[in-house]
Structures are given as structure tokens and as C-alpha cells.
Amino acid sequence: MPPAGDCAFIRRLQAQSPLHSIANPLLDGLPGRLTSAEVNRVYNQAAVGLCLSAVEGAMYSSMEYLLAGLPIVSTPSVGGRDVYFDPDYCIIAEPEPAAIRRAVERLRDRAIPREEIRGRTLERVKTERLELMAYLSALKQRMGSDDPPFSEWPFAGTSGLTRWPRCASTCARLPRSLRATFDCRRYRGGPPSLDGLAVYSGRVWP
């Protein structure tokens, strides 16, 4: 949607829901970014997080809700945002206003402590991270690295685990013994990779 269409959409939302406000600052009619502290401040004012799109890829908001201790009302969706959902504090409701309202009220009335939601989410994330760290450590060893296994999460502060450099530079960084394994001409859009993680000279980079 072009910017003019985005602006019109925002104005339409504001007209339809005059009692609601957009947390983001509006810059030339379009929502601007919030800092991490501002995002946390908004979540701390909320009782329930909503996830209402039918199709979505990585949904940062759903994890932000859970790590802020917010229960979630979602509609059925494709894309995997429900991986860390727990029925104790996440409800998948029918995609119609009355059902969503009832689900919000149910979760609000359960009054599950935020610390419990956050703690249980972190435990599930920790399990997944340990599995990934073991996998990456084994991968480094197979690629000829002498680095020790990962003892802590190596992607702290990283917002995503995929970064695509030019293929030629990637192939040049591979150990000589492995260069023949890959036909770099096949990877015009990115480097040889495994499960979305680029491999460089026995090291795995985000």
C-alpha cells in the first residue's frame, strides 16, 4: 500500500474507534517507531495482547507480549506465531468481534501473574535455545572448527538469525576442502546455508 493509502487507513481506524489511541507517534500521518522502553511502557498498561492477522511470518509482537507477561488472544493463523502459546494464558478465538471480546474478558478475569507468564515462556525458549546451541556446536565441529561448543546463547542482541552476504565472499571464506562441495553459482541470492544460518569457515554467523 502506498503512503497515501496507509495514511487514509490510519484516519479510517481513528474515525471508527475514537476511544482508542495509537501508541506510536504519528509522523506525517504514519506511525513511527517506539524505543524498547516505550514498548515496555505500553505493554505494562495493557491487560491482554491481541494477535488477529490470519497469515503472518515471524511475529515479534506475540513474543514481546509473552515476555512482558501479557496473556494473548489470537485468531486462527498460518505462520507459527502460536509455537510458544500456552492454553493457560493464550486463547485462539474465532475471528469475529464478539468471540474476541469474550476471550479478552476471560483472560483478564483469570488474572494470571505476569511473572508466571514470562517465566514459563522463558523456560520454553531456553529449551529451544539449548537444542539449537547443541546443533550449531556439532555443525561447527563438522565444518572443521576448533572452537569450543557454545556455552551460552551466541545471538544476544540480534533481532534475526539470517544475514545474506554476497555469495562469492561466502565461498571464499569456506575451508578449501569444502569449496568443492558447493557450486556457488547455484546460490545467487545468498550463501550456502543450512536452515537459514550462513556458514563461514567453520563458524556460524547470525
Side-chain angles (χ1 to χ4, degrees):
M1 185 182 295
D6 288 339
C7 291
F9 176 70
I10 294 295
R11 290 195 298 270
R12 191 160 61 250
L13 282 181
Q14 291 173 315
Q16 291 174 347
S17 303
L19 298 181
H20 292 85
S21 61
I22 297 173
N24 304 65
L26 293 180
L27 307 173
D28 296 326
L30 296 175
R33 288 186 175 273
L34 296 174
T35 66
S36 297
E38 290 169 333
V39 170
N40 282 331
R41 192 175 303 116
V42 171
Y43 288 163
N44 284 331
Q45 296 170 352
V48 176
L50 299 180
C51 302
L52 304 181
S53 55
V55 178
E56 190 144 10
M59 186 180 184
Y60 283 30
S61 296
S62 65
M63 286 304 294
E64 289 176 347
Y65 291 155
L66 293 172
L67 294 176
L70 282 175
I72 289 177
V73 170
S74 174
T75 52
S77 64
V78 174
R81 71 175 177 228
D82 58 339
V83 168
Y84 293 103
F85 284 8
D86 186 297
D88 286 347
Y89 44 80
C90 299
I91 294 177
I92 298 178
E94 290 301 312
E96 57 94 19
I100 293 169
R101 178 176 184 139
R102 287 193 299 269
V104 167
E105 291 172 345
R106 285 172 58 193
L107 286 179
R108 183 196 60 199
D109 293 344
R110 287 181 190 176
I112 299 174
R114 288 177 181 254
E115 294 79 6
E116 179 179 343
I117 296 174
R118 174 178 168 82
R120 287 169 61 174
T121 301
L122 285 173
E123 282 300 313
R124 298 181 72 170
V125 170
K126 179 181 179 180
T127 299
E128 299 281 347
R129 284 185 169 187
L130 290 174
E131 290 181 4
L132 180 58
M133 287 163 57
Y135 174 81
L136 295 179
S137 296
L139 176 61
K140 287 200 303 179
Q141 187 176 37
R142 290 202 305 271
M143 299 297 288
S145 174
D146 294 326
D147 292 347
F150 288 116
S151 60
E152 59 184 29
W153 183 241
F155 305 120
T158 302
S159 62
L161 293 185
T162 303
R163 182 183 303 147
W164 300 115
R166 294 182 63 83
C167 183
S169 65
T170 299
C171 289
R173 290 169 181 256
L174 287 171
R176 189 179 299 276
S177 61
L178 291 173
R179 291 180 194 173
T181 305
F182 298 101
D183 179 0
C184 289
R185 291 170 298 181
R186 294 173 54 201
Y187 299 97
R188 295 178 182 176
S193 65
L194 193 57
D195 292 346
L197 295 170
V199 179
Y200 303 90
S201 305
R203 295 188 64 190
V204 179
W205 293 75

